[in-house]
Amino acid sequence: MSQQVSPETSAADGVNRRSVLAGLAGGVASMGLLAPSAAAAESAGRPVRDERVEALLKKMTLAEKIGQLQLVGDENTARAALADGRLGGVFSVVGAAKLNALQRLAVEGTRLKIPLIFGLDVIHGYTTNFPIPLAQGASFDPAVAAADATVSAKEARSSGIHWTYAPMMDVTHEPRWGRIAEGYGEDPYLATKLAVSKVRGYQGDDYGKPDRVAACAKHFVAYGGAEGGRDYNTVDVSLQRLHNLYLPPFKASVEAGVATVMASFNTISGVPAHGNGYVLHDVLKGRYGFGGFVVSDYTGIQELILHGLAGDGADAAAAALPAGVDMEMVSTTYAEFAQRLLDQRRITRDQIDDAVRRILLVKFRLGLFERPYADESAEVKAPSPAALAASRQAAARCMVLLKNDGPVLPLAKSVGSVAVVGPLGAATYDLNGTWSGLGTGAGTTPPVTVVDGIKAAAPGATVTYAAGCTVDGGDTSGFAAAQDAARAADVTVVVVGETAAMSGEAAARSTIDLPGVQQQLVAAIKETGKPFVVVLVNGRPLTIPYLHDNAPAVLEAWAPGVQGGHAIADVLFGAVNPGGKLPVSFPRAVGQIPIYYNHENTGRPADPANKYTSKYLDLESGPLYEFGHGLSYTTFRIDSLRLSDTRMPARGGRLQVSVRVANTGGRAGDEVVQLYLRDPVASIVQPVRRLRGFQRVTLAAGASTTVSFTLTPDDVGFYDNAAAFRVEPGKIEVYVGASSSATLTSSFTVV
């Protein structure tokens, strides 16, 4: 699907690469943001033809077909629908016995014995909770996402769950949006690598195997662009930004074989995703050739009425089915109105058959017709030692050392006494973060607290705890006890941040400061004059300039999961040298939002010496901590940047970029080598930098290695305002280093 452009034409032609924009103007209809045309419908992707599916389709009545399009979220509704044999799937019911009972009604009590598909939001763990996905993005290690998905899939499938509504791959520049916790941050390249790895972890090479589940790429698409960070809100996005920023993880996940896709709640340039034929039909099923099925989000089709796209339920169904939504979650517009719409020729039998065909194909590939029931005796109801070890390792790998003056960290295991202060120091379920505890056993296996983790890591130390305050309250009466604990200890670990409920769905925050009086608590501990470090437990970036200026050390632990306390202690005491990097920028103040590294330049870039440039009067330019930032207990040097050539052909070209990375400190550690590109002159203004490669390496003290990246035209190209992929001739700047502010640079030319 790549389109390369020729070198700039001569002046005699009257055209050059900058004049290309003149040919890209057009209205909404020309951009395909309306329902698909008949011609587009003919070219849309179709699932692979399966003889079993086709044979079953021929036996099905229209009512039975419509029934396959319905997904419900509770047992009673499921039983009522199954009485008429009209149900395709159930979600949010857990437990092998419960699911087997429902499955038995479908397989043994309906005419065609078509099994149900059982789904659940297995976001970062089923029985064993791993760090939240945003934390996994901070690992800069796709293997972390794969480990979570592999463990989660095995546990969930043992309980009868076939299908997870994950991974969420929404790129966002909006930290006020609570669902930033569920994704991988602000960069499409990083999100793509993590999302593809998680899809493969869930599905393996065959998601019909007893330890795998069908994955669901969500939310399609641009949900992360919600205005003001308010969940479910409007998204107004240009076609080039849609394809360059929001779509890349989905495209790659389709190429990786993701089984299903979920439509998003938001509008996309005025058209709600559930009725948007351009994104679902033309792009997903047409251009990408997606052969699985699209499921609505919770009542997403019914909500087309409130959006203003549909006047009633019949209108909503008439918009959603032709647009490409195959299965309806919770709301019942297909079940209620499909027959009438068919009679009125507002939908077609081919559209119904295509949706049913896609759903049945996934069910066959899951092996549900051969093995519809879960083995209740094999249900995983508690985390295994191996799963706990994997969660602990992942959590430590996701932590980011933001600051370490002195250095204060790591703490000595021989320390005599440690005070743990802060409302999250003894927290349990808040360490799991959003979307946790849904699986069998997950709600009865509390995470290890920070207090208990520190006691285990330093068994000879006296460890005391004082909460000081609650997470979001205003009571400071506990400050005195917290100060007393700090004065009596050799070092204090202050654990502050957010509760699990403060991020995730429907958890937007208008400010992203430390909630309540937690910042005042940190100030009170500072007043004691004793050494202290701050540990953050949170589901989003926070505005923490006070901590940056006043805390000797700040460790970003995110919501680390069921082994959170142990993992935090592993890092605090140096059993693990932190190597995570920020997958999202930390703003200085909420007024900077949106702030992100891969922004476009203005005609007047920020210049402190010039008032008439793009900046705030009352705030320093740039983030508090940039994308890719993260410290270590050792030091690294990245140098010897080399390019294999100075030219890359626009068609089929390949170019190697290599650097030498050396551990120049006194202990082993991890560094994430990051490669960024910039196209300084293009027909569509390009970001000042774009991540196009990263590699996390572990080096012993004094050791060095060479890290290499391969670039192709896909890395330098971009989508234009007609959604065409362009690779233009010209200079490309290369930056390699340890964050998005890397200064080691070279360049090559695309020819």
Side-chain angles (χ1 to χ4, degrees), residues 466-505:
C469 62
T470 60
V471 171
D472 56 354
D475 185 1
T476 61
S477 61
F479 282 15
Q483 287 181 311
D484 288 344
R487 291 189 184 100
D490 295 329
V491 66
T492 298
V493 177
V494 186
V495 190
V496 290
E498 299 179 309
T499 66
M502 288 180 176
S503 60
E505 186 171 355

Side-chain angles (χ1 to χ4, degrees), residues 366 490 507 601 629 734:
L366 278 165
D490 295 329
N601 238 343
H629 169 77
V734 179

Side-chain angles (χ1 to χ4, degrees), residues 601-681:
N601 238 343
T602 75
R604 297 186 178 189
D607 179 357
N610 185 348
K611 176 181 178 180
Y612 298 99
T613 56
S614 183
K615 64 183 187 300
Y616 295 100
L617 289 174
D618 56 350
L619 195 66
E620 184 179 344
S621 294
L624 182 66
Y625 299 113
E626 75 273 17
F627 176 90
H629 169 77
L631 305 177
S632 171
Y633 297 153
T634 188
T635 55
F636 296 93
R637 183 180 64 249
I638 301 173
D639 58 17
S640 304
L641 173 60
R642 291 184 176 84
L643 276 58
S644 62
D645 205 331
T646 59
R647 295 157 65 89
M648 174 194 284
R651 295 182 183 275
R654 295 174 70 85
L655 189 144
Q656 298 288 327
V657 178
S658 64
V659 294
R660 179 177 173 272
V661 54
N663 183 341
T664 56
R667 65 168 64 213
D670 288 8
E671 180 61 287
V672 179
V673 182
Q674 303 163 47
L675 180 147
Y676 298 85
L677 299 182
R678 184 189 178 209
D679 185 346
V681 181

Side-chain angles (χ1 to χ4, degrees), residues 301-620:
I301 296 177
Q302 186 74 25
E303 291 171 20
L304 294 177
I305 300 170
L306 286 174
H307 274 295
L309 188 76
D312 55 22
D315 285 349
L321 186 64
V325 181
D326 302 306
M327 178 176 269
E328 181 170 9
M329 181 186 286
V330 179
S331 58
T332 57
T333 66
Y334 287 178
E336 293 180 51
F337 302 110
Q339 178 68 69
R340 183 203 305 178
L341 296 172
L342 193 60
D343 294 342
Q344 295 172 345
R345 298 184 179 179
R346 297 177 69 186
I347 63 174
T348 68
R349 283 186 178 271
D350 283 347
Q351 289 166 346
I352 293 174
D353 283 353
D354 180 56
V356 176
R357 179 180 287 114
R358 291 170 179 273
I359 293 165
L360 292 178
L361 182 63
V362 171
K363 289 185 176 183
F364 272 112
R365 288 180 171 174
L366 278 165
L368 302 186
F369 286 86
E370 296 80 18
R371 301 178 305 279
Y373 303 117
D375 179 355
E376 295 176 28
S377 67
E379 184 172 12
V380 176
K381 294 185 177 181
S384 69
L388 291 174
S391 176
R392 179 172 179 170
Q393 182 181 24
R397 202 160 175 81
C398 295
M399 293 181 193
V400 183
L401 184 61
L402 298 178
K403 181 185 179 185
N404 191 22
D405 287 351
V408 178
L409 294 174
L411 304 177
K413 288 188 178 182
S414 59
V415 64
S417 57
V418 180
V420 180
V421 166
L424 293 167
T428 55
Y429 291 109
D430 285 323
L431 269 64
N432 275 337
T434 184
W435 282 118
S436 61
L438 298 182
T440 304
T444 58
T445 306
V448 176
T449 68
V450 177
V451 170
D452 287 342
I454 289 175
K455 287 179 178 178
T462 299
V463 180
T464 58
Y465 174 65
C469 62
T470 60
V471 171
D472 56 354
D475 185 1
T476 61
S477 61
F479 282 15
Q483 287 181 311
D484 288 344
R487 291 189 184 100
D490 295 329
V491 66
T492 298
V493 177
V494 186
V495 190
V496 290
E498 299 179 309
T499 66
M502 288 180 176
S503 60
E505 186 171 355
R509 293 183 60 199
S510 63
T511 66
I512 53 172
D513 297 338
L514 279 173
V517 294
Q518 292 180 96
Q519 181 171 299
Q520 293 96 304
L521 176 63
V522 177
I525 298 304
K526 181 187 177 185
E527 287 177 2
T528 67
K530 298 298 291 289
F532 73 99
V533 301
V534 173
V535 175
L536 293 173
V537 174
N538 47 296
R540 56 159 57 80
L542 299 174
T543 45
I544 50 170
Y546 177 85
L547 298 187
H548 176 73
D549 292 339
N550 293 279
V554 181
L555 177 67
E556 175 57 85
W558 313 104
V562 70
Q563 289 283 284
H566 284 319
I568 288 170
D570 287 342
V571 173
L572 290 177
F573 287 92
V576 173
N577 190 345
K581 303 284 185 173
L582 290 181
V584 61
S585 304
F586 272 45
R588 298 176 185 275
V590 72
Q592 282 186 306
I593 298 170
I595 184 167
Y596 47 95
Y597 89 92
N598 49 347
H599 62 87
E600 299 159 4
N601 238 343
T602 75
R604 297 186 178 189
D607 179 357
N610 185 348
K611 176 181 178 180
Y612 298 99
T613 56
S614 183
K615 64 183 187 300
Y616 295 100
L617 289 174
D618 56 350
L619 195 66
E620 184 179 344

